[in-house]
Amino acid sequence: MPTDTPSPALSPAHQALLEQVPIGEHSVIDAEAVPYEHEGLPLEGYLARDVQADDRRPAVLILHDWHGVGDNVRMRAQMLARRGYVAFAADLYGADVRPSGEEASAVAGQYYRDLPLLRSRVAAGFSWLQQHPAVDPARLAVIGYCFGGTAALEFARTGAPARGVVSFHGGLIAHDPSDAAAIAASLLVLNGGADPVVPDTAVAAFQDELRAAPHVDWQLTTYSGAPHAFTIPGGDRYRPLADARSWRALVCFLDEVFA
């Protein structure tokens, strides 16, 4: 009998989306908050996995939007756990930092202005997940939403040993001088066609930088009519069709990079 163990309740919109992913017949999905740290700063991530699995599994690190660890990444972690992955939502801010409104923009801005710190904060979560006894350390991917999408792509630029990196409606920052040559992971970039945060000029500059590093494997998909944050349910920017298509793109991408 497939079951979920109790975890913090999701909003009705997030729970409804989660239920679209079935639980395996013999699976027991456990989800829990996980304390860890980075350079002495207490962090609190969120781990979801099938505790009935008796082999080391491929794993996915999930990076939150500018509101911090919340319903969206907890839902995505459970969705991925139902598909057989060990999923860990990293905390990029700090255990007690879960900003809202204008405060979220200000907190995220601190990291946009200090990309080395952002990259190292992602690395702390990646290292924690890589060392988990249920994880196959050779098969890890990183995905991120909005702010987390930017963070995922910045982490890829460190040469991190991830099989794949996925950005959902993340900001695209072209670097000059470029460090794209360091990228070892395959990239999947999923953008909204009506996202003012990521204008066509940013997309073009990002693609031009990647073209100059021909060894990098990358894909970029744009969904018509989708605004920023199109995968986050419960708000007026949520677009079910673009969300469903981007989820299927993720599923296919993970199948490929973990094969």
Side-chain angles (χ1 to χ4, degrees):
M1 173 71 71
T3 60
D4 272 318
T5 57
S7 60
L10 299 172
S11 76
H14 287 86
Q15 187 65 38
L17 189 55
L18 171 62
E19 294 308 323
Q20 294 182 19
V21 180
I23 305 174
E25 182 179 358
H26 302 293
S27 295
V28 176
I29 305 301
D30 179 72
E32 61 180 341
V34 175
Y36 68 113
E37 67 174 39
H38 173 239
E39 297 181 349
L41 177 70
L43 304 169
E44 186 176 276
Y46 181 83
L47 179 71
R49 65 188 183 96
D50 180 1
V51 295
Q52 291 294 92
D54 56 7
D55 56 342
R56 287 178 174 262
R57 294 297 181 94
V60 181
L61 184 73
I62 309 168
L63 306 178
H64 57 72
D65 61 24
W66 68 7
H67 297 295
V69 177
D71 280 357
N72 195 58
V73 289
R74 286 195 288 263
M75 174 194 69
R76 299 296 176 180
Q78 292 185 51
M79 291 170 75
L80 288 164
R82 291 183 178 198
R83 292 198 59 86
Y85 300 112
V86 178
F88 181 58
D91 180 4
L92 303 179
Y93 285 167
D96 298 321
V97 182
R98 303 293 184 265
S100 60
E102 292 184 3
E103 182 189 5
S105 176
V107 172
Q110 298 173 21
Y111 294 88
Y112 284 124
R113 291 188 296 272
D114 190 348
L115 295 178
L117 174 61
L118 179 60
R119 293 177 177 193
S120 64
R121 197 62 57 78
V122 177
F126 188 86
S127 177
W128 186 94
L129 181 58
Q130 196 173 36
Q131 296 175 59
H132 193 283
V135 168
D136 176 353
R139 291 193 292 168
L140 274 76
V142 181
I143 72 173
Y145 294 84
C146 297
F147 167 77
T150 303
L153 294 172
E154 286 299 317
F155 183 58
R157 291 173 180 274
T158 68
R163 293 280 189 95
V165 169
V166 184
S167 169
F168 292 85
H169 43 77
L172 303 181
I173 301 173
H175 288 225
D176 185 13
S178 175
D179 53 4
I183 297 172
S186 295
L187 304 183
L188 176 62
V189 180
L190 305 169
N191 285 341
D195 184 350
V197 178
V198 188
D200 290 347
T201 52
V203 174
F206 183 78
Q207 291 183 115
D208 285 346
E209 185 184 2
L210 292 180
R211 289 188 182 106
H215 73 283
V216 179
D217 173 35
W218 61 276
Q219 307 170 58
L220 193 150
T221 300
T222 301
Y223 299 104
S224 63
H228 193 61
F230 63 81
T231 68
I232 300 177
D236 59 5
R237 291 183 291 182
Y238 180 62
R239 297 295 185 271
L241 181 58
D243 178 37
R245 286 175 172 173
S246 64
W247 174 257
R248 287 194 296 271
L250 170 66
V251 169
C252 291
F253 180 75
L254 294 178
D255 286 345
E256 177 184 311
V257 299
F258 287 146

